[in-house]
Amino acid sequence: TSNLQAAAAAKGAFYAGDPCSGDSCFIGGNVATNAGGNRAVKYGTTRHQVYAIEVVNPTGKIVQLGARLQKQTTGYCLEQLVIGSEGTLGIITQITVKLLPLPKYSMDLLAVFASPEAAIGTVNKLIMGGITPTCVEYMDNITIKSVERYLGTSLQGSDKGNYLIVEVEGTSEDDLDEKACAMDEICSGNGAGDVLVAEHDKIWQARKAFAEAVRAESLIVCKEDVVCPVDQEPALLAEILRLAEKYQLVTRIASHAGDGNIHLNILKQEQESYADWDERVKANQQELYRFIYAHGGRLSGEHGIGSKRKQLMQEFTNPDELEMMRAIKKALDPNNILNPGKIFDVE
Ligand SMILES: Cc1cc2nc3c(=O)[nH]c(=O)nc-3n(C[C@H](O)[C@H](O)[C@H](O)COP(=O)(O)OP(=O)(O)OC[C@H]3O[C@@H](n4cnc5c(N)ncnc54)[C@H](O)[C@@H]3O)c2cc1C
């Protein structure tokens, strides 16, 4: 994916999809999982970057879906049905992506908050503040320290609290300055101790190292990818922290906060028995998912279901919705040959 970004940039164009795994994932995988990532706040997820796809369908036909058009209402939107279907409806063999002009001016601000609640509580205000941020990312302090250890570096403000990393694009230096002042006012007004101009490469290297840093701490991790409406995010974070305390879980949290997608990693500690840890993780999951569905959220924002979360998907998804999904899978893949057993089972 980062090769695609670079190839577009070499032609003066901008590919807006930007999952943190950009250096290791493929555009086919991004489309198959509807990958999100950092710039979804402004540009949407992978599905918003795609005009058309070529798909080898489960009966062996090669079909072109979609078109290089800004709009069309010509029957079902099948390319969008295949996007995010995790390889269960077809193998994607070509993709026509949307490219935009390269943003001319951009800057990254780092706001450091003593309290996690204050940091997350600021996100919706930034979104509603009219500055149209490209990215709003959150990292809690213990995660920042973990990334510092993993990268062997020191990060700005890491001794002071929890990060909001805000990237914004502008039409000129003056426009950027105005937006920076507005962001500073919003963040400071909501309890940020420091609002700094961040070093672009360093701060994004740190944010993107989250998963590897966690893996360096523990090889056994439960990765939650819950998502809720942005205005419900403070309540969700409070619930995550309450449950972590209740079930005595060691957590690292980073989130695509600008779109309500919280990555909660629960690390098994060496001294914990697997059975006991797993029981607490499952109890946490039940309470967390009940909360998230009651607040208009879903159990996965961007990682998808795979086979790991399919029982939970069945438990928490509206049965009528699940029945429609199964009917589509049965109609398009009557022999159940493409990624069978992913997302849900088909009898
Ligand atoms: C460090 C790290 C950071 C991450 N950050 C993000 C993030 O910010 N945002 C995000 O959304 N995800 C993130 N992820 C998850 C993952 O990288 C993405 O979901 C990515 O889109 C998966 O692409 P891949 O090429 O690795 O696909 P794979 O993992 O190889 O495949 C994913 C699924 O898609 C199917 N598939 C793959 N290619 C095709 C194809 N051509 N046609 C049909 N089906 C296909 C596979 O069968 C599989 O079911 C992260 C993962 C890691 C390890």
Side-chain angles (χ1 to χ4, degrees):
T1 302
S2 52
N3 287 350
L4 168 62
Q5 292 169 334
K11 301 259 181 197
F14 179 59
Y15 175 69
D18 188 34
C20 286
S21 50
D23 289 339
S24 65
C25 63
F26 293 82
I27 185 67
N30 294 171
V31 174
T33 58
N34 184 30
N38 307 312
R39 301 189 192 123
V41 190
K42 182 168 179 186
Y43 294 105
T45 58
T46 299
R47 68 168 73 257
H48 302 104
Q49 323 306 329
V50 176
Y51 279 122
I53 51 178
E54 178 190 86
V55 177
V56 181
N57 79 12
T59 57
K61 288 196 179 118
I62 299 173
V63 287
Q64 315 292 329
L65 301 174
R68 198 162 64 82
L69 297 169
Q70 241 348 70
K71 59 188 274 193
Q72 68 143 326
T73 310
T74 316
Y76 294 164
C77 192
L78 294 178
E79 69 280 12
Q80 291 294 342
L81 178 64
V82 173
I83 297 172
S85 67
E86 301 186 33
T88 60
L89 299 181
I91 298 170
I92 300 150
T93 45
Q94 268 184 39
I95 301 157
T96 306
V97 296
K98 295 181 186 172
L99 298 178
L100 297 165
L102 270 173
K104 282 203 181 112
Y105 301 91
S106 74
M107 74 180 305
D108 298 278
L109 279 192
L110 175 63
V112 189
F113 296 78
S115 112
E117 290 85 351
I120 290 289
T122 305
V123 175
N124 204 35
K125 293 176 180 153
L126 284 167
I127 307 279
M128 296 304 289
I131 47 171
T132 323
T134 311
C135 316
V136 184
E137 295 291 312
Y138 169 78
M139 293 171 82
D140 71 357
N141 187 256
I142 196 156
T143 300
I144 298 163
K145 297 267 168 62
S146 164
V147 169
E148 275 186 323
R149 279 194 302 278
Y150 175 71
L151 294 176
T153 190
S154 66
L155 297 167
Q156 293 166 285
S158 65
D159 52 338
K160 303 220 172 109
N162 309 277
Y163 280 1
L164 274 190
I165 305 162
V166 188
E167 187 171 293
V168 72
E169 291 158 359
T171 51
S172 64
E173 293 286 356
D174 288 348
D175 183 34
L176 273 190
D177 283 347
E178 244 175 65
K179 286 177 173 163
C181 288
M183 289 192 288
D184 186 0
E185 208 170 293
I186 294 169
C187 292
S188 303
N190 282 279
D194 280 332
V195 182
L196 315 156
V197 175
E199 281 175 59
H200 175 85
D201 290 347
K202 195 165 180 187
I203 203 68
W204 285 105
Q205 182 199 26
R207 172 62 187 89
K208 291 183 178 184
F210 165 59
E212 283 95 346
V214 167
R215 191 175 161 78
E217 288 195 77
S218 173
L219 289 175
I220 303 179
V221 180
C222 170
K223 289 167 182 261
E224 297 293 351
D225 171 46
V226 289
V227 62
C228 68
V230 177
D231 61 356
Q232 300 295 313
E233 213 172 350
L236 175 58
L237 182 72
E239 182 67 0
I240 285 173
L241 298 176
R242 184 187 76 78
L243 291 171
E245 176 98 29
K246 175 174 172 183
Y247 292 110
Q248 293 294 292
L249 300 169
V250 174
T251 64
R252 305 285 179 264
I253 300 173
S255 83
H256 302 299
D259 50 47
N261 184 198
I262 298 188
H263 294 324
L264 161 70
N265 283 8
I266 304 170
L267 287 65
K268 183 183 138 354
Q269 304 298 286
E270 254 182 42
Q271 69 277 10
E272 293 175 309
S273 86
Y274 182 80
D276 174 54
W277 177 79
D278 190 49
E279 199 175 302
R280 284 181 285 125
V281 163
K282 287 192 173 124
N284 176 69
Q285 217 159 32
Q286 285 293 326
E287 277 200 60
L288 179 60
Y289 288 7
R290 275 202 293 278
F291 180 91
I292 193 105
Y293 276 76
H295 287 75
R298 293 290 181 271
L299 66 86
S300 175
E302 58 178 25
H303 292 167
I305 305 300
S307 38
K308 206 163 78 178
R309 294 258 185 305
K310 73 178 171 187
Q311 291 311 328
L312 290 156
M313 162 105 179
Q314 170 152 330
E315 202 178 322
F316 285 90
T317 305
N318 177 326
D320 296 334
E321 189 183 347
L322 207 51
E323 196 182 304
M324 282 177 76
M325 291 190 206
R326 286 201 174 101
I328 290 166
K329 171 72 173 166
K330 280 184 194 164
L332 296 185
D333 185 7
N335 299 318
N336 195 22
I337 58 168
L338 285 188
N339 269 353
K342 293 275 172 72
I343 311 182
F344 45 74
D345 287 318
V346 184
E347 298 79 44

